[in-house]
């Protein structure tokens, strides 16, 4: 399930995108997701990706500190994030 947001990150609803669901979370994502006017989802690379590279997205807003992001991920997605941003 993906939360569909507008350009200002206001939640509009949820959608099922089976292929996009294969993207794992990272606090240093390799891609971002955007939604078109008909709730079509587009993944755009943020860095050059080679065949076989993992496509990751940020499940949450990345502006809070690491501790707050980890708490939000634990609460919303039930996992402990161990990614360490280095870029």
């Amino acid at each position: 399930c993906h939360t569909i947001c507008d350009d200002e990150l206001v939640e509009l609803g949820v959608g099922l995108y089976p292929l996009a669901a294969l993207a794992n979370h990272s606090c240093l994502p390799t891609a971002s997701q955007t939604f078109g006017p008909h709730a079509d989802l587009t993944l755009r690379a943020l860095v050059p990706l080679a065949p076989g590279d993992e496509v990751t997205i940020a499940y949450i807003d990345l502006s809070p500190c690491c501790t707050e992001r980890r708490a939000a991920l634990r609460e919303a997605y039930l996992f402990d994030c161990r990614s360490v941003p280095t870029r």
Side-chain angles (χ1 to χ4, degrees):
C1 236
H2 281 73
T3 302
I4 301 169
C5 299
D6 65 12
D7 292 338
E8 296 179 5
L9 300 179
V10 174
E11 293 183 12
L12 304 174
V14 295
L16 297 175
Y17 301 89
L19 290 177
L22 296 173
N24 288 318
H25 166 79
S26 175
C27 289
L28 192 61
T30 61
S32 66
Q33 61 183 14
T34 57
F35 296 93
H38 303 290
D40 50 315
L41 180 133
T42 301
L43 291 175
R44 285 192 166 60
L46 298 172
V47 297
L49 294 170
D53 286 351
E54 182 178 19
V55 176
T56 59
I57 59 174
Y59 289 180
I60 59 169
D61 178 10
L62 296 177
S63 59
C65 71
C66 183
T67 303
E68 291 175 11
R69 289 193 313 267
R70 286 181 176 164
L73 288 164
R74 193 174 310 109
E75 181 178 325
Y77 296 96
L78 305 176
F79 73 89
D80 291 319
C81 178
R82 298 288 177 228
S83 64
V84 179
T86 57
R87 205 179 304 144

